[in-house]
Amino acid sequence: MARNYYIAGNWKMHKTRAEAAALAKELVEALKDGKHKYLVAPGFTLLETVAPIVKGTNILLGAQNCAVEEQGAHTGEVSVLQLKDLGVQAIILGHSERRHNYREDDALINKKVLLALKHGFDVILCVGELLEEREQGRAEAVCERQTTEGLKGVTAGGLSRVTIAYEPVWAIGTGKTATPEDADAIHGSIRNVVEKLYGGAEAAKIIIQYGGSVKPENATQLMAKENIDGALVGGAALKADTFVPIAKFA
Ligand code: 13P
């Protein structure tokens, strides 16, 4: 497969600065001979601490969200300009926790995607169905809609900086993983959507990560699938002991 594996750790709302610094240092050391592409996404208050630790290493610095506006009267929001100033290289957008707990819809997420790309960031666009949507046989349709709407107005040039993360909501933080076969099927359908929108060459290039209870024990089987190009890891990203074996899966 020509695509490079991309393993990202989403630290969500965990860790103090001291804890974040310690983990980042462990990862830099443990992954310096790692063969894949890596990213860590600490919370906003930790970015300034982690930035100098990962700078110049093979680990990219990511943020977990950004405001939909560039700047202005938006109490409690964090702007792309502020993230750029901290050395952030990529932004996770459309995470299911943002979609479902904070009511972010496809249109809002799309605006954020366009803003982040405009400011030179890479984007990890998350998609994924709820359990009831899967039970109704709508998993593919939901992911197709979220992908299509999320990418509206993104040029082929912009797409080269977009990674899609398929995270079935029922698998996040639950210990339930999609089977490699089920995940691969959705990844394949997402790749078909990209092909419809941008053509075969772009579809063959785009990285599609799987997320949802990825652990050292299941990473290798997931990554072995044709359409699974990496992982977006939550819980297991909080410790080097569990993240490093995923990042260095054989
Ligand atoms: P878990 O790995 O904890 O299931 O979280 C996945 C996730 O939401 C990563 O963004």
Side-chain angles (χ1 to χ4, degrees), residues 125-187:
L125 171 63
C126 304
V127 302
E129 80 285 359
L130 297 163
L131 182 59
E132 65 252 38
E133 292 167 334
R134 172 156 288 261
E135 286 169 350
Q136 292 159 357
R138 292 169 52 217
E140 277 192 18
V142 167
C143 295
E144 282 188 28
R145 188 203 75 227
Q146 292 174 345
T147 304
T148 305
E149 297 296 315
L151 292 176
K152 245 187 197 156
V154 173
T155 62
L159 188 75
S160 68
R161 285 186 280 123
V162 176
T163 296
I164 310 262
Y166 169 56
E167 300 202 304
V169 180
W170 48 271
I172 295 176
T174 57
K176 288 186 202 154
T177 321
T179 65
E181 291 68 30
D182 285 348
D184 193 51
I186 300 283
H187 283 228

Side-chain angles (χ1 to χ4, degrees), residues 64-76:
Q64 299 170 16
N65 188 21
C66 67
V68 69
E69 304 294 341
E70 220 154 75
Q71 60 187 325
H74 298 283
T75 302

Side-chain angles (χ1 to χ4, degrees), residues 146-228:
Q146 292 174 345
T147 304
T148 305
E149 297 296 315
L151 292 176
K152 245 187 197 156
V154 173
T155 62
L159 188 75
S160 68
R161 285 186 280 123
V162 176
T163 296
I164 310 262
Y166 169 56
E167 300 202 304
V169 180
W170 48 271
I172 295 176
T174 57
K176 288 186 202 154
T177 321
T179 65
E181 291 68 30
D182 285 348
D184 193 51
I186 300 283
H187 283 228
S189 80
I190 293 170
R191 206 177 294 288
N192 288 340
V193 172
V194 174
E195 178 165 4
K196 257 189 267 163
L197 296 172
Y198 296 93
E202 298 305 323
K205 273 192 282 182
I206 194 158
I207 301 294
I208 308 178
Q209 297 171 324
Y210 170 78
S213 299
V214 176
K215 307 182 254 291
E217 296 75 32
N218 58 25
T220 302
Q221 294 99 291
L222 287 161
M223 300 307 143
K225 289 293 173 191
E226 174 60 28
N227 284 302
I228 302 182

Side-chain angles (χ1 to χ4, degrees), residues 10 12 95-97 126 167 171-174 211-214 232-236:
N10 174 7
K12 304 192 180 181
H95 192 279
S96 72
E97 287 146 23
C126 304
E167 300 202 304
I172 295 176
T174 57
S213 299
V214 176
L232 181 54
V233 186

